[in-house]
Amino acid sequence: MIKAKRIGHATFSTPDLDRLVEHYQEVVGLHLVARDGNSAYLASNAGQLAVVLEASDGAECTRLSFEVSPRMDFAEMARDLSTLGLKCEQRTDDRPGLARVLSFKDPKGTTIELFSEPLFVSKGKAVGGATPLKLGHLAFAVPNPRAMAEFYEQVLGFRTSDWIGDFFVFLRCNVDHHTVNFIRAPQTRMHHIAFEMRDAAHLHNSCDLLGQKRVEIVWGPVRHGPGHNVATYHRNPDNQMIEFFAELDRMTDEENGFFDPRPWHRDLPQRPKVWDPTQQRDMWGMRPSQAFLDFAR
Ligand SMILES: [Fe+2]
């Protein structure tokens, strides 16, 4: 069975490549590691490819990549996917750090790219911006989050970490509480992309940076209920939501089946559960602004 181990990078189309590259460099703090006519490749300060931007008419998340074990055989994975009725394509990749990629589409039309044994990419000169540790997760608005969760569980080996009612699901593929989320909405689209900061002090510094650059914090800082991360949200020039977060729950022992104990947990132990949507979920912080809520609609 295919088991995703880690999210690799997210690919976005954008009508203004220069403007979006500038945001990911100067605000988010990613390194521009390569650029050709219509594409830009950006990596974390730790040397992992995190975001690929491609010039196009629309602004959407077109592809998501996941790392699989170096022991996985690509031909075998292709057979497994075909058995599940998924058309896949294997290619020798031209993206920095990725030698080989197996791709197929998920039910909402996003191309999923599987890779193994990535190379760390050259960081180049120092960047400004928040400089996150890594790409953490992506959230999508979809009409049927349960069907999406089942697909990610069956095809990519994800596990369910939490539900909020029956409309918002958080899925993990490693110790991190979530790597993909799906929230119910009439239209399919990306809801937000999230980058992990080193710790709460780093997140605090990123708020100062957003303030200096006159980028509005649409929501936060707040400590969430599901995942218990502290988080802020701002928008990039393509009006896509970007989350900065720290202190996300981790399940280091899947056999125990609960998240590592933290003083802010109300459940002891904190196991995956269904959160009551009628109750206040966040541990502290302001409730989401109307601008944030409007994103999910
Ligand atoms: Fe998030």
Side-chain angles (χ1 to χ4, degrees):
M1 185 194 176
I2 297 171
K3 267 190 112 173
K5 288 161 63 79
R6 178 181 73 84
I7 191 167
H9 64 278
T11 303
F12 294 90
S13 57
T14 177
D16 192 333
L17 187 60
D18 289 337
R19 192 177 61 167
L20 206 56
V21 167
E22 187 188 354
H23 188 88
Y24 276 107
Q25 280 188 288
E26 302 301 325
V27 178
V28 178
L30 299 180
H31 291 261
L32 183 64
V33 292
R35 169 126 192 208
D36 54 34
N38 289 317
S39 309
Y41 303 87
L42 295 121
S44 69
N45 201 31
Q48 290 177 312
L49 189 64
V51 169
V52 175
L53 304 176
E54 294 176 339
S56 179
D57 293 339
E60 58 177 328
C61 176
T62 53
R63 300 195 293 272
L64 269 189
S65 76
F66 294 101
E67 184 174 351
V68 296
S69 164
R71 291 194 298 276
M72 292 297 283
D73 179 79
F74 275 55
E76 206 175 301
M77 286 198 293
R79 276 196 301 277
D80 287 354
L81 292 167
S82 301
T83 308
L84 294 165
L86 296 164
K87 223 175 100 186
C88 56
E89 201 176 290
Q90 206 180 144
R91 66 170 194 275
T92 305
D93 210 59
D94 51 359
R95 279 176 222 153
L98 304 183
R100 211 159 39 140
V101 165
L102 182 67
S103 66
F104 60 97
K105 281 192 192 297
D106 75 7
K108 61 182 160 44
T110 308
T111 298
I112 303 298
E113 300 176 312
L114 303 177
F115 64 92
S116 64
E117 302 180 88
L119 298 175
F120 284 78
V121 293
S122 158
K123 286 197 286 187
K125 60 179 194 238
V127 289
T131 59
L133 207 50
K134 66 178 187 186
L135 171 61
H137 62 267
L138 273 91
F140 293 88
V142 292
N144 189 344
R146 190 166 297 279
M148 288 304 306
E150 283 170 6
F151 181 89
Y152 274 70
E153 285 169 352
Q154 287 164 11
V155 177
L156 293 164
F158 275 74
R159 284 84 67 193
T160 295
S161 286
D162 277 312
W163 276 93
I164 302 172
D166 63 356
F167 63 87
F168 197 170
V169 60
F170 300 75
L171 296 158
R172 70 182 181 282
C173 65
N174 53 31
V175 296
D176 293 337
H177 178 275
H178 54 275
T179 294
V180 290
N181 314 342
F182 299 106
I183 184 165
R184 192 166 60 219
Q187 301 291 331
T188 296
R189 63 193 174 82
M190 189 194 74
H191 187 275
H192 65 268
I193 177 171
F195 294 92
E196 184 172 13
M197 300 294 142
R198 288 189 301 275
D199 52 27
H202 190 193
L203 184 72
H204 184 100
N205 290 345
S206 75
C207 294
D208 285 332
L209 181 119
L210 291 169
Q212 280 163 8
K213 295 194 179 285
R214 310 265 179 203
V215 178
E216 181 192 1
I217 296 175
V218 183
W219 185 24
V222 57
R223 183 180 293 285
H224 287 311
H228 293 91
N229 42 318
V230 277
T232 66
Y233 299 83
H234 72 273
R235 280 178 287 211
N236 72 18
D238 279 355
N239 203 29
Q240 291 160 332
M241 196 74 81
I242 296 183
E243 175 187 353
F244 290 159
F245 71 92
E247 297 184 342
L248 181 69
D249 277 345
R250 291 166 62 84
M251 188 183 288
T252 49
D253 190 338
E254 283 276 340
E255 230 178 297
N256 278 342
F258 56 81
F259 298 100
D260 298 354
R262 294 287 182 263
W264 44 81
H265 288 171
R266 290 181 182 146
D267 294 359
L268 300 171
Q270 187 73 55
R271 296 185 187 281
K273 68 172 185 177
V274 178
W275 293 68
D276 182 348
T278 65
Q279 300 292 313
Q280 167 69 25
R281 291 183 299 278
D282 296 322
M283 298 295 112
W284 49 258
M286 301 290 284
R287 285 172 182 266
S289 64
Q290 198 54 46
F292 183 88
L293 291 172
D294 288 346
F295 250 74
R297 299 208 170 109

